[in-house]
Amino acid sequence: GGCKGSRSSLQLYLSLQEENYTVRFRDPLRLTMAEKLMHALQYESYGGGAAALKHVQVPVPSPKANEVLLKLEATSLNPVDWKIQKGMIRPFLPRKFPCIPATDVAGEVLEVGSGVKNFKAGDKVVSVLSHLTGGGLAEYAVASEKLTVKRPQEVGPAEAAALPVAGLTALQALTNPAGLKLDGTGKQANILVTAASGGVGHYAVQLAKLGNAHVTATCGARNIDFVKSLGADEVLDYKTPEGAALKSPSGKKYDSVIHCANGIPFSTFEPNLSENGKVIDITPGPSAMWTFAVKKITMSKKQLVPLLLIPKAENLEFMVNLVKEGKVKTVIDSKHPLSKAEDAWAKSIDGHATGKIIIEP
């Protein structure tokens, strides 16, 4: 009897082993990725700037339904990333600590979650990750299928990763509140772009020129030639009296201002606006929201319009194609390895980048 019992327990043991074996090796890729650790940077509380970013080893995330797992090739930073860390968008963002920041990524699809139709392993893509979850300062990230588009080989990973927040903000500002037609068929508008050498600004200048606008731009003295090379018709050094007053050298009144700088009151814009001129503020703070409300209530023809980016895949695809066709270029300020991503973070906080700051794993 005892022998029989041990035989059945042996059988049970073997069948368990076999089951374990099949579970373990049914999908080797999924298992190895889920078990694998990756290098990432995260912060654990508000504040602290670049010094508070910690290098960590964390599990590679798994794609849920309608998500893709990406092996990242490039990530670009946006000012909103460090503003979230600083606590400027609390209590909404980040959703929880620790937080792996950054949202604008390019990479290769490694794995697709259930229900994903448009992508397969091996596809090269560019994605906008959710600001709620972030995830860009890492070797791998999961992205929503609906905010992911294919990256053609003509567009490099860094050029593509630079596009989402900055490119889509410029595009949305110009086409929506400013009403510019980018095929150049609309009436010619006069447009002012402030902080034109930065991430959003350098795209706004190029897109406005595609829309046949007359473009006045402001930037620091060292970037005047750079902003002219993007197509701006007239460029003001913001530290000169004319630049500080935002006066067009040729006397133009602005139909729209793509306002990418900080700390300029509406009263400075007002005398330079055309009759129905709009200031589109891409980083609206409390005073901008107050001005927006006052102008609305008093039925003023001149308006301040706060812009809240709504990222859409079709707009990202549109921008990727403009880069592919050579109609818009991404200008890269600097590239940093993931191992030194805190240098990139410090550079973004400093606020003098020309174009976009890129991190590569």
Side-chain angles (χ1 to χ4, degrees), residues 21 179 182 185 197 224 232 250 253 255 291 338-339:
Y21 182 85
L182 292 191
T185 57
S197 53
I224 288 176
S250 60
K253 297 286 184 204
D255 301 306
T291 305
L338 188 60
S339 59

Side-chain angles (χ1 to χ4, degrees), residues 126-242:
V126 49
S127 293
V128 199
L129 309 178
S130 159
H131 278 295
L132 290 172
T133 51
L137 289 192
E139 292 176 278
Y140 302 89
V142 286
S144 157
E145 178 184 31
K146 66 175 193 293
L147 286 175
T148 299
V149 302
K150 290 204 167 77
R151 170 175 75 76
Q153 62 189 35
E154 296 89 338
V155 182
E159 284 70 31
L163 283 167
V165 165
L168 295 183
T169 298
L171 180 67
Q172 188 178 313
L174 284 163
T175 53
N176 196 349
L180 201 67
K181 291 196 171 25
L182 292 191
D183 56 6
T185 57
K187 67 174 183 58
Q188 191 182 34
N190 294 322
I191 289 183
L192 170 68
V193 180
T194 61
S197 53
V200 179
H202 95 285
Y203 287 130
V205 170
Q206 297 177 74
L207 290 169
K209 287 314 293 176
L210 282 181
N212 195 27
H214 178 279
V215 177
T216 308
T218 70
C219 63
R222 70 190 172 92
N223 282 320
I224 288 176
D225 289 340
F226 164 65
V227 173
K228 281 189 177 151
S229 77
L230 298 174
D233 298 283
E234 39 189 36
V235 184
L236 295 163
D237 171 355
Y238 74 93
K239 288 192 166 147
T240 62
E242 305 75 44

